[in-house]
Amino acid sequence: MSNIKSVIVATGSYIPPRVIENQHFLNHSFFEKDGTPQARKNEEAIEKFKAITEIEERRYAEDDLNASDLAFLAAKDALESSGIDAEELDYIVVAHNFGDVAKGSNRVDMIPTLASRVKHKLGIVNPDCVAYDLPFGCPGWLQGMIQADYFIKSGDAKKVLVIGAETLSRIVDPHDKDTMIYADGAGATILAASTDTDAGVLSHKAQSHTVDQAYFLRMEPSCNPAHQSDARYLKMDGRKVYEYALTHVPKVMKAALEKAGVEAREVKKVLVHQANGKMDEAILKRFFKLYNAEAPAGIMPMTIAKLGNSSVATVPTLLDLILKGEMEGHAVKAGDVLLFASVGAGMNINAMVYRMPHPKLLSGGGGLA
């Protein structure tokens, strides 16, 4: 089985049409984490937020759609744009963190699994298509890709659909400035087995740090003491996450490259989780510093300014936009090396090295020269 390679043969995404600009938060009542009202005026706080994160706007899902609906729409896009028959799928893996959260409820719904819901919506009859969910923080989609690679290289699967979908706008505290970071969306990828290439997934590396870092992201009550609700919201120690990411993510990226036997200078694109613009730029700089090199211009495409942080959906959505020629100034061709990386709740980190195959191996084409 050693000659089997995992190749990305299809991508899809669902970017909600509802645009939420930063001005949307001008009338919010923000509180500090200790429960005291924010001292700054909202205009000043929003400007500072934009300077730190680079986020200008984000997307929120339509009120009648949940995460499983976004996942289905991204999967449908991947299948239709590639011409792949859904009945041929061996696995459907859906990465998420909160399941389906109906608009206005803040209640998590994960039974049945989102993957089962997606399989149902796709109308797949094949009982050998196994559907399961993967909660792994923001690196969930990439971890799903890692698992799919293992399935394929073992000979257990020939086609695996991996989806990242989230509606973070429904589990954030309206009184917490961090609310402005988060967004909704979904991205999907189909990995397939090939014995006709040396390209595809070359290596991957993952780590979990939990001794001191497990609760950097967690669920807590609103930071507004007067907020009358027993709901719990997503909370983050932003500074600790930032320092953690800069310390550990570049090393994991380097470890993945070393496993693949690939040099940093061979990397054409770095697709990193769109968490925070300044943090991602610092991660890239730290990564190349490990090689005593400067980061090449244009190597790291970014969507966070317009799409915000949609957790597990950021990287597959970015990949789909690039492969379908919808990211101006960013394209890839056969032989190019892509380095994927993500970091998030847990705290978890992962990275994957991928070499673009010849276009003839792709069902959908899109973006390859």
Side-chain angles (χ1 to χ4, degrees):
M1 299 296 180
S2 60
N3 63 332
I4 298 177
K5 290 289 188 181
S6 302
V7 175
I8 297 170
V9 295
T11 60
S13 61
Y14 183 74
I15 299 172
R18 186 180 173 197
V19 178
I20 305 296
E21 298 180 344
N22 286 350
Q23 288 86 341
H24 172 82
F25 301 96
L26 281 172
N27 294 322
H28 277 229
S29 297
F30 290 125
F31 287 74
E32 303 297 343
K33 297 192 186 301
D34 63 2
T36 59
Q38 174 186 257
R40 288 191 185 92
K41 292 183 178 179
N42 278 6
E43 292 88 343
E44 182 184 347
I46 290 170
E47 280 303 310
K48 184 177 180 181
F49 164 83
K50 179 182 173 183
I52 293 172
T53 66
E54 299 184 359
I55 298 173
E56 302 170 7
E57 57 191 44
R58 73 285 295 142
R59 300 299 181 97
Y60 283 2
E62 297 94 319
D63 290 352
D64 60 341
L65 296 182
N66 293 327
S68 62
D69 299 307
L70 307 193
F72 160 70
L73 292 167
K76 187 167 176 280
D77 181 30
L79 290 164
E80 290 181 350
S81 62
S82 65
I84 292 173
D85 182 356
E87 293 291 341
E88 297 176 3
L89 297 173
D90 297 296
Y91 287 88
I92 298 174
V93 183
V94 177
H96 64 87
N97 296 291
F98 298 98
D100 277 356
V101 181
K103 176 69 176 177
S105 76
N106 196 254
R107 295 185 183 274
V108 172
D109 176 3
M110 288 189 266
I111 298 178
T113 65
L114 269 60
S116 290
R117 299 179 198 200
V118 169
K119 181 180 176 182
H120 173 75
K121 291 174 187 290
L122 290 172
I124 297 173
V125 176
N126 177 15
D128 292 325
C129 172
V130 177
Y132 72 92
D133 288 3
L134 177 59
F136 194 69
C138 291
W141 170 81
L142 191 49
Q143 196 66 20
M145 292 286 282
I146 291 171
Q147 292 185 0
D149 181 54
Y150 282 127
F151 290 147
I152 288 170
K153 287 180 178 173
S154 73
D156 183 55
K158 292 184 177 178
K159 288 189 177 72
V160 181
L161 170 62
V162 184
I163 307 168
E166 200 67 85
T167 52
L168 292 179
S169 67
R170 296 175 185 176
I171 49 82
V172 291
D173 180 1
H175 301 289
D176 188 337
K177 293 188 294 293
D178 286 347
T179 289
M180 296 187 285
I181 295 172
Y182 302 113
D184 306 338
T189 313
I190 298 175
L191 270 185
S194 175
T195 56
D196 190 30
T197 182
D198 290 326
V201 176
L202 303 184
S203 70
H204 31 74
K205 173 66 177 175
Q207 287 187 345
S208 294
H209 297 79
T210 60
V211 175
D212 299 314
Q213 305 92 340
Y215 293 94
F216 285 177
L217 286 109
R218 58 197 175 275
M219 302 300 288
E220 289 183 348
S222 172
C223 54
N224 179 358
H227 188 64
Q228 298 297 316
S229 172
D230 61 355
R232 296 172 72 83
Y233 304 94
L234 179 61
K235 297 291 179 174
M236 174 176 62
D237 291 332
R239 172 50 59 178
K240 290 181 179 179
V241 170
Y242 184 93
E243 292 171 352
Y244 168 84
L246 263 61
T247 299
H248 297 286
V249 176
K251 296 175 184 177
V252 171
M253 294 163 69
K254 187 173 187 286
L257 277 185
E258 289 174 348
K259 283 178 69 176
V262 172
E263 298 289 336
R265 56 183 170 77
E266 298 179 64
V267 176
K268 299 300 180 184
K269 295 291 177 187
V270 176
L271 275 62
V272 67
H273 165 49
Q274 307 290 286
N276 172 318
K278 288 289 187 287
M279 185 178 84
D280 289 348
E281 290 163 9
I283 287 171
L284 184 72
K285 185 176 180 179
R286 286 276 187 98
F287 167 69
F288 276 99
K289 190 176 181 180
L290 294 175
Y291 294 88
N292 296 313
E294 297 287 332
I299 196 172
M300 188 174 70
M302 299 291 289
T303 56
I304 191 167
K306 298 297 182 182
L307 301 184
N309 177 351
S310 55
S311 184
V312 291
T314 66
V315 180
T317 297
L318 177 60
L319 177 64
D320 182 53
L321 292 173
I322 293 171
L323 294 185
K324 289 178 177 171
E326 297 176 16
M327 279 288 290
E328 187 176 351
H330 294 282
V332 291
K333 63 181 186 301
D336 283 355
V337 172
L338 278 58
L339 177 57
F340 298 89
S342 188
V343 58
M347 291 288 293
N348 300 313
I349 305 170
N350 49 24
M352 174 180 281
V353 183
Y354 184 83
R355 190 182 300 276
M356 294 299 299
H358 191 278
K360 69 182 179 66
L361 291 174
L362 300 185
S363 301
L368 283 173

